[in-house]
Amino acid sequence: MTTTLVQKSRVDRTRPGLVLFTLLTCQLMIILDVTVMNVALPHIRTDLDFSPTGLSWVMNSYTLVFGGLLLLGGRAGDLFGRRRLFLWGTTLFTLASLAGGLAPSAGWLLAARVLQGIGGAMAAPNTLALLTTTFAEPKARIRVLALFSGMSSAGFAIGLIVGGLLTEWFGWRSVLFINVPFGLVIAVLAGRYLPEAPRRPARLDLPGAVTATAGVAALVYGFISAASDGWGAAGTDIFLALGVVLLAAFLAVESRAPQPLLPLGLFADRNRAAAYLNMFLGPMAGMSMFFFLTQYLQDVLGMSSLATGFAFLPTAVLMFTMIRFIPRLLARFGPKPVTLTGTVAMVTGLVLLTRLSADTGYFPLLFVAMVAMGCGLGLAFSPLNVIIMSTVSAEEAGAAGGALQTLQQTGGALGLAVLVTVFGTAARAAGGSPTHALVGGMTAAFAAAAVIAALTVVVALTFRGGRATG
């Protein structure tokens, strides 16, 4: 209660609008970095002489470090100060972006991407925790968490547009340089306006930190290896097995730790546990649309990188539109019908994408599928952040946010590995022309993604009723 009053008084004395702008801008910057880099990869390969396998590490080096350190970054903020971790993380991410944009060689760029991952893992979970603890009033908390979720989801689609524009007009280095002015503004505003929650005497759960970081990193690396080398590769099996063993050890450590890195009580609430599960399953299905459709639009329909980015505009617009309605929908109907509507819309969009062929134009099939996916992703995931974070205690907000984003990250990595395997198998079986094989593989991947998305519908059915009041 005291912590809540302190937070409320601090935000009243500062400027809530600037606090919200600072935190949401940081989240958007981190999310955009993923998709803008995707669009720039062909130009990076040519300029820095990457090998085909080496090029994948421009994305994987960031994903591996970011996913592996999220839990630690969230809990460290709880113990040592969220504002401090947020500032350090944002500053490191900004400086690493500048270094990456200046990279004269492949090794330099990969090192910068690793530093970006470290900075992102420090900033991201504390962004969510600061939102939760700063905006303590229930209705305000639901509103800002819905905005956070919408910003995160729409950032993937917007990144394709921004990446296409920047790469086409200013070259691939601009997709990294663009982070610098944003990062500087965020750091200045954070230093002046972000409130700091009172810290409590505590010791970091080092055994939990080691097993969690190593376990998640091993698991993510195993998924990455599966996507590139196949599920039967020795490296894939070793790292996946190592990840499972380390995460099992982590759960055993956490069940006995006096101040755990991940309080297992977070999963005691049925709605929160179901929301965590869908935060893992949703990216497994949803990320496939961006990954495979980017290739379909360019390689099959012959669109430029800029036109490809704008092709995702319906999805981005619908995601942002959902932001306006989520708080009112949750207050009126509760999480179950809202999430169910979103998950069903996502399944519908993915099923429509299984109808693609080499002759399919953008209208009407692709356009309708993107509209369905925009509505689905907006309605299915915005409530999850609210369900997970709206009732968590201030002391555990960082850990809850770190767990949320870790599950999201590992779910996306696992989903990509599974769907790339499905794609490869189906493409080889399809035969015919390269285009026919490519489309055959993609439609099979969309069908598998629709099955995974159907599981999110099943999970959404388990939510208890009641309005989300925070």
Side-chain angles (χ1 to χ4, degrees):
M1 181 66 178
T2 302
T3 301
T4 299
L5 290 174
V6 169
Q7 288 298 315
K8 192 173 189 305
S9 65
R10 288 294 301 275
V11 76
D12 285 344
R13 288 202 307 269
T14 58
R15 298 185 182 179
L18 286 174
V19 172
L20 182 61
F21 173 81
T22 302
L23 295 173
L24 292 183
T25 301
C26 179
Q27 178 65 12
L28 182 62
M29 180 178 71
I30 292 171
I31 293 295
L32 284 178
D33 188 73
V34 177
T35 46
V36 296
M37 290 298 294
N38 256 319
V39 176
L41 286 178
H43 300 268
I44 293 172
R45 178 181 59 207
T46 302
D47 198 23
L48 297 184
D49 196 27
F50 270 97
S51 66
T53 54
L55 185 66
S56 66
W57 281 101
V58 175
M59 302 304 299
N60 293 343
S61 57
Y62 176 84
T63 301
L64 190 63
V65 175
F66 182 63
L69 292 177
L70 275 168
L71 274 177
L72 181 58
R75 197 51 164 169
D78 287 342
L79 301 182
F80 306 124
R82 293 168 190 142
R83 180 175 173 272
R84 176 181 297 177
L85 265 290
F86 177 85
L87 276 168
W88 289 353
T90 303
T91 302
L92 179 58
F93 187 91
T94 303
L95 293 175
S97 298
L98 177 62
L102 296 171
S105 65
W108 181 302
L109 179 60
L110 293 181
R113 292 291 284 165
V114 168
L115 291 175
Q116 278 188 303
I118 296 172
M122 294 168 69
N126 290 294
T127 301
L128 189 52
L130 283 164
L131 276 175
T132 303
T133 55
T134 301
F135 295 88
E137 193 274 323
K139 288 185 179 179
R141 179 181 283 190
I142 289 174
R143 182 176 65 85
V144 299
L145 287 173
L147 285 171
F148 175 89
S149 179
M151 191 71 75
S152 301
S153 300
F156 284 103
I158 295 171
L160 294 169
I161 300 171
V162 173
L165 285 170
L166 291 175
T167 304
E168 196 93 359
W169 293 349
F170 305 109
W172 70 264
R173 295 179 188 273
S174 63
V175 304
L176 287 161
F177 287 145
I178 195 65
N179 292 330
V180 177
F182 283 106
L184 291 174
V185 170
I186 292 166
V188 170
L189 292 176
R192 183 168 182 179
Y193 295 109
L194 282 191
E196 177 64 278
R199 282 177 281 162
R200 56 194 176 100
R203 295 176 58 188
L204 188 63
D205 172 21
L206 288 178
V210 171
T211 52
T213 300
V216 172
L219 209 59
V220 172
Y221 182 82
F223 297 153
I224 290 170
S225 176
S228 58
D229 303 330
W231 290 95
T236 299
D237 294 341
I238 290 171
F239 278 99
L240 288 177
L242 179 62
V244 170
V245 169
L246 286 170
L247 289 180
F250 167 68
L251 292 177
V253 168
E254 298 306 278
S255 66
R256 296 189 297 270
Q259 293 178 323
L261 189 71
L262 176 64
L264 298 183
L266 290 172
F267 301 94
D269 179 85
R270 189 173 87 182
N271 275 11
R272 189 183 295 126
Y276 272 128
L277 180 55
N278 263 3
M279 192 58 79
F280 177 76
L281 292 172
M284 287 182 66
M287 288 300 295
S288 66
M289 184 194 72
F290 297 106
F291 180 79
F292 290 110
L293 274 188
T294 300
Q295 298 177 64
Y296 178 85
L297 292 169
Q298 293 187 5
D299 297 339
V300 178
L301 298 189
M303 290 187 176
S304 67
S305 57
L306 183 60
T308 297
F310 277 103
F312 285 95
L313 195 58
T315 302
V317 169
L318 264 297
M319 286 181 181
F320 271 122
T321 302
M322 293 302 105
I323 293 173
R324 296 177 56 86
F325 298 105
I326 286 295
R328 280 179 283 175
L329 291 172
L330 288 176
R332 182 171 181 180
F333 301 109
K336 186 171 184 174
V338 176
T339 308
L340 269 174
T341 302
T343 51
V344 169
M346 186 167 64
V347 172
T348 302
L350 289 168
V351 169
L352 286 173
L353 291 176
T354 65
R355 309 301 300 168
L356 290 178
S357 71
D359 302 320
T360 303
Y362 184 75
F363 292 99
L365 182 64
L366 261 176
F367 177 79
V368 173
M370 287 194 175
V371 168
M373 288 296 291
C375 291
L377 292 170
L379 291 173
F381 296 119
S382 291
L384 300 183
N385 280 311
V386 176
I387 293 165
I388 291 169
M389 299 299 297
S390 64
T391 57
V392 74
S393 68
E395 292 77 12
E396 294 182 344
L404 183 157
Q405 291 170 319
T406 299
L407 286 169
Q408 188 176 31
Q409 191 74 14
T410 53
L414 173 58
L416 186 58
V418 170
L419 296 174
V420 165
T421 302
V422 171
F423 165 80
T425 303
R428 287 190 294 272
S433 68
T435 300
H436 183 268
L438 183 69
V439 174
M442 288 179 181
T443 54
F446 287 130
V451 172
I452 298 171
L455 296 178
T456 68
V457 179
V458 175
V459 174
L461 287 169
T462 70
F463 283 128
R464 285 194 296 264
R467 298 177 183 181
T469 60

